Amino acid sequence: SLNDVISSVSFQMFTNSDEAVINKKLPKELLLRIFSFLDVVTLCRCAQVSRSWNVLALDGSNWQRIDLFDFQRDIEGRVVENISKRCGGFLRKLSLRGCLGVGDSALRTFSQNCRNIELLSLNGCTKITDSTCNSLSKFCPKLKHLDLASCTSITNLSLKALSEGCPLLEQLNISWCDQVTKDGIQALVRSCPGLKGLFLKGCTQLEDEALKHIGSHCPELVTLNLQTCSQITDEGLITICRGCHRLQSLCVSGCANITDAILHALGQNCPRLRILEVARCSQLTDVGFTTLARNCHELEKMDLEECVQITDGTLIQLSIHCPRLQVLSLSHCELITDDGIRHLGSGPCAHDRLEVIELDNCPLITDASLEHLKSCHSLDRIELYDCQQITRAGIKRLRTHLPNIKVHAYFAPVTPPPSVGGSRQRFCRCCVLL
């Protein structure tokens, strides 16, 4: 086997000679195959062993997937340019998340050299402007996933450019790009019919008209995040529900204008829904959640924080109709009582599925609720901050049944130890090499 071959080679294989035993024993094709499993740092270390290993380690075929997040402070534009020249058409996936030193010029060179790129994350690369999307549009027609979250200089011009040159786009994250309006969304969705994921969190200029374009042109949509898009109302979201029957994940937390009409529309049109986040949507009631629960049986995660009108009635419906429920947040739902938790704890999801339940600031919850949850064998975490009627004794009893559970109650989380300081190089050796 390959392991036997490698283990039989003596220590001298690591010497700095191109005549080392490993180079004689193993053909270059096999060494190249071994190198293909290594991460960026290890490849760079191998490149420093000898001239022949330098050639093999820096071969473009080994650099099809690169994540530079761990080196974000050191990465500057020239590193990205060098990588792109080395990788060329081999590179498929690149993450520059948090690399603040990378700008439009480097990404133009990158786009020209890496025309087969399919996944690109520029999340938090705040120097990026519309110029980068023009480059991607011009040179990267195979792009499928693009993350531009927190690139706040991005405007509608970027979306229009992507619509012209990247028709295969499946996922786009422009969260916090708050200059984007309905015009950019319209151009994008009309030319990218295969969109499956749209992350528009914090795009505060978006209104119902933008959602109507999405509902009309994105039949493949699976994930939609509209958190804090505070101008949207039932009217726009209903068109999403009617046009996007494959929807599995919807986040409208902080969209305070929506009502039970949305929950009815989801129930009638989106039976595959798995994740629903409606935190701070204070107009939602038991009536809407009853319709939802009775029609969306695949629900796994629900964030109902500050849905202040819901009562135990919602929990009864979820316990009966949603056997796959894993994560449920009820923080600040002040009408929830022990009786609702009793139903949840005896429902089909409780025994094997329920992993997280958040009950912060639920003043009517007592130790009785913890008794109702003790048979939830998969329960990993429970949040109980400011539940004044919960006692340490009740938590201790719960732990006798669920010894590994993480309970967050009156005590603050452990303060992490201070990081050990000290001088550090401006660049790591890998960045110098690249």
Side-chain angles (χ1 to χ4, degrees), residues 13-20 22-23 28 31-32 35-36 38 40-63 82 86-87 429-430 432-434:
M13 72 181 187
F14 295 112
T15 64
N16 197 32
S17 166
D18 288 339
E19 297 305 311
I22 193 169
N23 294 332
K28 285 186 171 59
L31 277 170
L32 198 59
F35 284 2
S36 72
L38 303 180
V40 171
V41 174
T42 312
L43 278 170
C44 287
R45 288 173 178 160
C46 288
Q48 297 168 61
V49 169
S50 69
R51 281 188 296 275
S52 62
W53 276 33
N54 183 277
V55 172
L56 290 170
L58 299 181
D59 187 279
S61 63
N62 290 323
W63 298 74
N82 290 341
R86 193 179 305 287
C87 299
R429 292 181 69 189
C430 300
V432 173
L433 185 73
L434 292 169

Short mmCIF file of all heavy atoms in Angstrom, two decimals, residues 13-20 22-23 28 31-32 35-36 38 40-63 82 86-87 429-430 432-434:
data_model
loop_
_atom_site.label_atom_id
_atom_site.label_comp_id
_atom_site.label_asym_id
_atom_site.label_seq_id
_atom_site.Cartn_x
_atom_site.Cartn_y
_atom_site.Cartn_z
N MET A 13 14.87 10.76 3.35
CA MET A 13 13.97 11.31 2.32
C MET A 13 13.68 12.78 2.57
O MET A 13 13.26 13.50 1.68
CB MET A 13 12.65 10.53 2.31
CG MET A 13 11.73 10.80 3.49
SD MET A 13 10.23 9.82 3.36
CE MET A 13 9.28 10.48 4.71
N PHE A 14 13.89 13.27 3.80
CA PHE A 14 13.59 14.66 4.11
C PHE A 14 14.80 15.57 3.95
O PHE A 14 14.73 16.75 4.24
CB PHE A 14 13.06 14.78 5.55
CG PHE A 14 11.73 14.10 5.72
CD1 PHE A 14 11.62 12.96 6.50
CD2 PHE A 14 10.60 14.60 5.10
CE1 PHE A 14 10.39 12.33 6.64
CE2 PHE A 14 9.37 13.97 5.25
CZ PHE A 14 9.26 12.84 6.01
N THR A 15 15.92 15.04 3.49
CA THR A 15 17.07 15.90 3.29
C THR A 15 16.84 16.81 2.11
O THR A 15 15.97 16.57 1.28
CB THR A 15 18.34 15.07 3.04
OG1 THR A 15 18.17 14.35 1.83
CG2 THR A 15 18.63 14.13 4.19
N ASN A 16 17.65 17.84 2.01
CA ASN A 16 17.42 18.87 1.01
C ASN A 16 18.03 18.51 -0.35
O ASN A 16 18.36 19.36 -1.15
CB ASN A 16 18.00 20.21 1.50
CG ASN A 16 17.42 21.38 0.71
OD1 ASN A 16 16.28 21.33 0.28
ND2 ASN A 16 18.23 22.41 0.53
N SER A 17 18.16 17.23 -0.60
CA SER A 17 18.76 16.79 -1.86
C SER A 17 17.69 16.24 -2.78
O SER A 17 16.81 15.50 -2.35
CB SER A 17 19.80 15.71 -1.58
OG SER A 17 20.15 15.06 -2.79
N ASP A 18 17.79 16.58 -4.08
CA ASP A 18 16.84 16.04 -5.03
C ASP A 18 17.10 14.56 -5.30
O ASP A 18 16.34 13.90 -5.99
CB ASP A 18 16.90 16.83 -6.34
CG ASP A 18 16.27 18.20 -6.17
OD1 ASP A 18 15.48 18.35 -5.23
OD2 ASP A 18 16.59 19.11 -6.96
N GLU A 19 18.21 14.02 -4.73
CA GLU A 19 18.50 12.60 -4.85
C GLU A 19 17.97 11.83 -3.65
O GLU A 19 18.34 10.68 -3.43
CB GLU A 19 20.02 12.38 -4.97
CG GLU A 19 20.62 13.02 -6.22
CD GLU A 19 19.92 12.54 -7.49
OE1 GLU A 19 19.75 11.30 -7.64
OE2 GLU A 19 19.54 13.38 -8.32
N ALA A 20 17.15 12.48 -2.80
CA ALA A 20 16.61 11.81 -1.63
C ALA A 20 15.85 10.55 -2.04
O ALA A 20 15.32 10.45 -3.15
CB ALA A 20 15.67 12.75 -0.87
N ILE A 22 13.01 9.19 -1.28
CA ILE A 22 11.60 9.23 -1.66
C ILE A 22 11.43 9.63 -3.12
O ILE A 22 10.53 9.17 -3.81
CB ILE A 22 10.80 10.17 -0.72
CG1 ILE A 22 9.30 9.95 -0.93
CG2 ILE A 22 11.19 11.63 -0.93
CD1 ILE A 22 8.42 10.61 0.10
N ASN A 23 12.33 10.50 -3.61
CA ASN A 23 12.23 10.93 -5.01
C ASN A 23 12.62 9.81 -5.97
O ASN A 23 12.20 9.79 -7.13
CB ASN A 23 13.10 12.16 -5.25
CG ASN A 23 12.60 13.37 -4.48
OD1 ASN A 23 11.40 13.46 -4.21
ND2 ASN A 23 13.49 14.27 -4.10
N LYS A 28 6.95 10.85 -9.92
CA LYS A 28 6.44 12.21 -9.70
C LYS A 28 4.91 12.25 -9.68
O LYS A 28 4.29 13.00 -8.93
CB LYS A 28 6.98 13.15 -10.78
CG LYS A 28 8.44 13.52 -10.59
CD LYS A 28 8.87 14.56 -11.62
CE LYS A 28 10.26 15.11 -11.32
NZ LYS A 28 11.31 14.09 -11.29
N LEU A 31 3.81 11.29 -6.19
CA LEU A 31 4.08 12.39 -5.26
C LEU A 31 3.07 13.53 -5.45
O LEU A 31 2.56 14.10 -4.48
CB LEU A 31 5.50 12.92 -5.46
CG LEU A 31 6.63 12.15 -4.76
CD1 LEU A 31 7.98 12.63 -5.25
CD2 LEU A 31 6.51 12.26 -3.25
N LEU A 32 2.78 13.83 -6.70
CA LEU A 32 1.82 14.89 -7.00
C LEU A 32 0.45 14.55 -6.43
O LEU A 32 -0.24 15.40 -5.87
CB LEU A 32 1.74 15.09 -8.51
CG LEU A 32 1.15 16.40 -9.02
CD1 LEU A 32 1.94 17.60 -8.51
CD2 LEU A 32 1.12 16.40 -10.55
N PHE A 35 0.55 15.13 -2.71
CA PHE A 35 0.50 16.56 -2.41
C PHE A 35 -0.91 17.13 -2.57
O PHE A 35 -1.26 18.12 -1.94
CB PHE A 35 1.46 17.32 -3.34
CG PHE A 35 2.92 17.19 -2.95
CD1 PHE A 35 3.31 16.42 -1.88
CD2 PHE A 35 3.90 17.85 -3.68
CE1 PHE A 35 4.65 16.29 -1.52
CE2 PHE A 35 5.24 17.74 -3.33
CZ PHE A 35 5.61 16.95 -2.25
N SER A 36 -1.71 16.49 -3.43
CA SER A 36 -3.05 17.03 -3.70
C SER A 36 -3.94 16.99 -2.47
O SER A 36 -4.98 17.66 -2.43
CB SER A 36 -3.70 16.26 -4.85
OG SER A 36 -4.08 14.95 -4.44
N LEU A 38 -2.89 17.86 0.60
CA LEU A 38 -2.32 18.72 1.63
C LEU A 38 -2.97 20.10 1.64
O LEU A 38 -3.45 20.58 0.62
CB LEU A 38 -0.81 18.87 1.41
CG LEU A 38 0.00 17.55 1.38
CD1 LEU A 38 1.47 17.85 1.17
CD2 LEU A 38 -0.22 16.76 2.66
N VAL A 40 -2.82 24.38 2.46
CA VAL A 40 -1.96 25.45 1.94
C VAL A 40 -0.63 25.51 2.69
O VAL A 40 0.44 25.58 2.08
CB VAL A 40 -2.69 26.81 2.03
CG1 VAL A 40 -1.74 27.95 1.70
CG2 VAL A 40 -3.89 26.83 1.09
N VAL A 41 -0.69 25.48 4.02
CA VAL A 41 0.52 25.62 4.82
C VAL A 41 1.48 24.47 4.56
O VAL A 41 2.69 24.66 4.36
CB VAL A 41 0.18 25.71 6.33
CG1 VAL A 41 1.45 25.70 7.17
CG2 VAL A 41 -0.63 26.96 6.62
N THR A 42 0.96 23.25 4.56
CA THR A 42 1.81 22.08 4.35
C THR A 42 2.43 22.09 2.95
O THR A 42 3.60 21.73 2.77
CB THR A 42 1.00 20.79 4.56
OG1 THR A 42 0.26 20.89 5.79
CG2 THR A 42 1.92 19.59 4.65
N LEU A 43 1.65 22.50 1.96
CA LEU A 43 2.20 22.60 0.60
C LEU A 43 3.37 23.58 0.56
O LEU A 43 4.39 23.33 -0.07
CB LEU A 43 1.11 23.05 -0.38
CG LEU A 43 0.18 21.95 -0.90
CD1 LEU A 43 -0.99 22.57 -1.66
CD2 LEU A 43 0.92 20.96 -1.78
N CYS A 44 3.20 24.72 1.24
CA CYS A 44 4.26 25.72 1.26
C CYS A 44 5.51 25.18 1.96
O CYS A 44 6.64 25.46 1.55
CB CYS A 44 3.78 27.00 1.93
SG CYS A 44 2.63 27.95 0.92
N ARG A 45 5.30 24.41 3.02
CA ARG A 45 6.45 23.81 3.70
C ARG A 45 7.15 22.80 2.79
O ARG A 45 8.38 22.73 2.75
CB ARG A 45 5.99 23.15 5.00
CG ARG A 45 5.62 24.17 6.08
CD ARG A 45 5.03 23.50 7.29
NE ARG A 45 4.72 24.49 8.34
CZ ARG A 45 3.87 24.27 9.33
NH1 ARG A 45 3.24 23.12 9.41
NH2 ARG A 45 3.65 25.22 10.23
N CYS A 46 6.35 22.01 2.08
CA CYS A 46 6.94 21.04 1.17
C CYS A 46 7.74 21.75 0.07
O CYS A 46 8.77 21.24 -0.39
CB CYS A 46 5.85 20.18 0.53
SG CYS A 46 5.11 18.99 1.69
N ALA A 47 7.25 22.91 -0.35
CA ALA A 47 7.92 23.64 -1.42
C ALA A 47 9.30 24.11 -1.00
O ALA A 47 10.14 24.45 -1.85
CB ALA A 47 7.06 24.84 -1.84
N GLN A 48 9.57 24.12 0.32
CA GLN A 48 10.86 24.58 0.81
C GLN A 48 11.86 23.43 1.04
O GLN A 48 12.99 23.65 1.45
CB GLN A 48 10.65 25.35 2.13
CG GLN A 48 9.81 26.61 1.94
CD GLN A 48 9.36 27.22 3.26
OE1 GLN A 48 10.20 27.61 4.06
NE2 GLN A 48 8.07 27.30 3.47
N VAL A 49 11.43 22.19 0.76
CA VAL A 49 12.29 21.03 1.02
C VAL A 49 13.40 20.92 -0.02
O VAL A 49 14.56 20.74 0.31
CB VAL A 49 11.44 19.73 1.05
CG1 VAL A 49 12.33 18.50 1.05
CG2 VAL A 49 10.53 19.74 2.28
N SER A 50 13.03 21.02 -1.30
CA SER A 50 14.03 20.86 -2.37
C SER A 50 13.48 21.45 -3.66
O SER A 50 12.30 21.79 -3.75
CB SER A 50 14.36 19.38 -2.59
OG SER A 50 13.23 18.71 -3.15
N ARG A 51 14.34 21.53 -4.66
CA ARG A 51 13.90 22.11 -5.94
C ARG A 51 12.80 21.26 -6.58
O ARG A 51 11.82 21.79 -7.10
CB ARG A 51 15.10 22.22 -6.88
CG ARG A 51 16.00 23.43 -6.59
CD ARG A 51 17.06 23.60 -7.68
NE ARG A 51 17.99 22.47 -7.72
CZ ARG A 51 19.08 22.38 -6.95
NH1 ARG A 51 19.36 23.34 -6.07
NH2 ARG A 51 19.89 21.35 -7.05
N SER A 52 12.96 19.95 -6.55
CA SER A 52 11.95 19.10 -7.19
C SER A 52 10.62 19.16 -6.45
O SER A 52 9.55 19.18 -7.06
CB SER A 52 12.44 17.65 -7.29
OG SER A 52 12.66 17.11 -6.01
N TRP A 53 10.68 19.20 -5.11
CA TRP A 53 9.44 19.31 -4.34
C TRP A 53 8.81 20.69 -4.52
O TRP A 53 7.58 20.82 -4.48
CB TRP A 53 9.71 19.03 -2.85
CG TRP A 53 9.71 17.56 -2.53
CD1 TRP A 53 10.13 16.55 -3.33
CD2 TRP A 53 9.25 16.97 -1.32
NE1 TRP A 53 9.99 15.34 -2.71
CE2 TRP A 53 9.45 15.56 -1.47
CE3 TRP A 53 8.73 17.45 -0.13
CZ2 TRP A 53 9.11 14.66 -0.46
CZ3 TRP A 53 8.40 16.56 0.88
CH2 TRP A 53 8.58 15.17 0.71
N ASN A 54 9.62 21.71 -4.71
CA ASN A 54 9.08 23.04 -4.96
C ASN A 54 8.21 23.03 -6.21
O ASN A 54 7.09 23.56 -6.23
CB ASN A 54 10.23 24.04 -5.11
CG ASN A 54 9.73 25.46 -5.30
OD1 ASN A 54 9.39 25.85 -6.40
ND2 ASN A 54 9.71 26.23 -4.22
N VAL A 55 8.73 22.39 -7.26
CA VAL A 55 7.98 22.31 -8.51
C VAL A 55 6.67 21.54 -8.31
O VAL A 55 5.61 21.95 -8.78
CB VAL A 55 8.84 21.64 -9.61
CG1 VAL A 55 8.00 21.36 -10.86
CG2 VAL A 55 10.03 22.52 -9.95
N LEU A 56 6.76 20.40 -7.59
CA LEU A 56 5.57 19.57 -7.39
C LEU A 56 4.54 20.25 -6.48
O LEU A 56 3.35 20.27 -6.78
CB LEU A 56 5.98 18.23 -6.78
CG LEU A 56 6.74 17.27 -7.70
CD1 LEU A 56 7.28 16.09 -6.91
CD2 LEU A 56 5.86 16.80 -8.84
N ALA A 57 5.02 20.81 -5.37
CA ALA A 57 4.10 21.41 -4.39
C ALA A 57 3.38 22.62 -4.97
O ALA A 57 2.22 22.88 -4.64
CB ALA A 57 4.86 21.82 -3.13
N LEU A 58 4.06 23.36 -5.84
CA LEU A 58 3.45 24.57 -6.40
C LEU A 58 2.80 24.32 -7.75
O LEU A 58 2.41 25.27 -8.44
CB LEU A 58 4.51 25.67 -6.51
CG LEU A 58 5.14 26.10 -5.17
CD1 LEU A 58 6.15 27.20 -5.37
CD2 LEU A 58 4.07 26.52 -4.17
N ASP A 59 2.65 23.06 -8.11
CA ASP A 59 1.94 22.72 -9.34
C ASP A 59 0.48 23.16 -9.21
O ASP A 59 -0.18 22.93 -8.19
CB ASP A 59 2.00 21.21 -9.58
CG ASP A 59 1.44 20.81 -10.93
OD1 ASP A 59 0.19 20.70 -11.04
OD2 ASP A 59 2.22 20.65 -11.88
N GLY A 60 -0.02 23.78 -10.25
CA GLY A 60 -1.38 24.34 -10.19
C GLY A 60 -2.45 23.34 -9.83
O GLY A 60 -3.46 23.70 -9.20
N SER A 61 -2.25 22.06 -10.17
CA SER A 61 -3.28 21.05 -9.89
C SER A 61 -3.51 20.85 -8.40
O SER A 61 -4.55 20.34 -7.98
CB SER A 61 -2.91 19.72 -10.55
OG SER A 61 -1.71 19.21 -10.01
N ASN A 62 -2.52 21.22 -7.57
CA ASN A 62 -2.67 21.11 -6.11
C ASN A 62 -3.43 22.28 -5.51
O ASN A 62 -3.71 22.29 -4.31
CB ASN A 62 -1.30 21.02 -5.44
CG ASN A 62 -0.60 19.71 -5.72
OD1 ASN A 62 -1.23 18.67 -5.78
ND2 ASN A 62 0.71 19.76 -5.92
N TRP A 63 -3.72 23.27 -6.31
CA TRP A 63 -4.29 24.52 -5.79
C TRP A 63 -5.66 24.77 -6.41
O TRP A 63 -5.95 25.84 -6.93
CB TRP A 63 -3.33 25.68 -6.08
CG TRP A 63 -2.01 25.50 -5.40
CD1 TRP A 63 -1.01 24.64 -5.75
CD2 TRP A 63 -1.56 26.17 -4.22
NE1 TRP A 63 0.05 24.74 -4.87
CE2 TRP A 63 -0.25 25.68 -3.93
CE3 TRP A 63 -2.11 27.16 -3.40
CZ2 TRP A 63 0.48 26.13 -2.83
CZ3 TRP A 63 -1.37 27.61 -2.32
CH2 TRP A 63 -0.09 27.10 -2.04
N ASN A 82 -0.11 36.42 -7.34
CA ASN A 82 0.83 35.32 -7.51
C ASN A 82 0.12 33.97 -7.52
O ASN A 82 0.44 33.08 -8.31
CB ASN A 82 1.89 35.35 -6.41
CG ASN A 82 2.85 36.52 -6.57
OD1 ASN A 82 2.95 37.09 -7.65
ND2 ASN A 82 3.54 36.88 -5.50
N ARG A 86 -0.08 31.20 -10.55
CA ARG A 86 0.37 29.83 -10.32
C ARG A 86 -0.74 28.82 -10.61
O ARG A 86 -0.49 27.75 -11.17
CB ARG A 86 0.82 29.69 -8.86
CG ARG A 86 1.60 28.42 -8.57
CD ARG A 86 2.04 28.36 -7.14
NE ARG A 86 2.80 29.52 -6.71
CZ ARG A 86 4.05 29.77 -7.07
NH1 ARG A 86 4.66 28.98 -7.92
NH2 ARG A 86 4.68 30.83 -6.61
N CYS A 87 -1.96 29.16 -10.24
CA CYS A 87 -3.06 28.20 -10.34
C CYS A 87 -3.72 28.20 -11.71
O CYS A 87 -4.16 27.16 -12.20
CB CYS A 87 -4.13 28.51 -9.30
SG CYS A 87 -3.54 28.42 -7.62
N ARG A 429 5.76 32.58 6.66
CA ARG A 429 6.67 32.10 5.61
C ARG A 429 5.92 31.73 4.33
O ARG A 429 6.43 31.88 3.22
CB ARG A 429 7.45 30.90 6.12
CG ARG A 429 8.44 31.25 7.23
CD ARG A 429 9.21 30.02 7.67
NE ARG A 429 10.13 29.56 6.64
CZ ARG A 429 10.78 28.41 6.73
NH1 ARG A 429 10.60 27.61 7.75
NH2 ARG A 429 11.62 28.04 5.78
N CYS A 430 4.69 31.24 4.51
CA CYS A 430 3.90 30.84 3.34
C CYS A 430 3.58 32.04 2.46
O CYS A 430 3.66 31.96 1.24
CB CYS A 430 2.62 30.16 3.77
SG CYS A 430 2.90 28.68 4.76
N VAL A 432 5.28 34.82 2.29
CA VAL A 432 6.53 35.25 1.64
C VAL A 432 6.79 34.41 0.41
O VAL A 432 7.14 34.92 -0.67
CB VAL A 432 7.71 35.12 2.64
CG1 VAL A 432 9.03 35.40 1.92
CG2 VAL A 432 7.54 36.12 3.80
N LEU A 433 6.58 33.10 0.55
CA LEU A 433 6.81 32.18 -0.56
C LEU A 433 5.89 32.49 -1.74
O LEU A 433 6.31 32.55 -2.88
CB LEU A 433 6.59 30.74 -0.09
CG LEU A 433 6.91 29.63 -1.09
CD1 LEU A 433 8.41 29.50 -1.24
CD2 LEU A 433 6.33 28.32 -0.64
N LEU A 434 4.61 32.71 -1.41
CA LEU A 434 3.64 32.96 -2.48
C LEU A 434 3.88 34.33 -3.12
O LEU A 434 3.55 34.52 -4.27
CB LEU A 434 2.22 32.88 -1.92
CG LEU A 434 1.79 31.48 -1.48
CD1 LEU A 434 0.49 31.57 -0.69
CD2 LEU A 434 1.60 30.59 -2.69
#
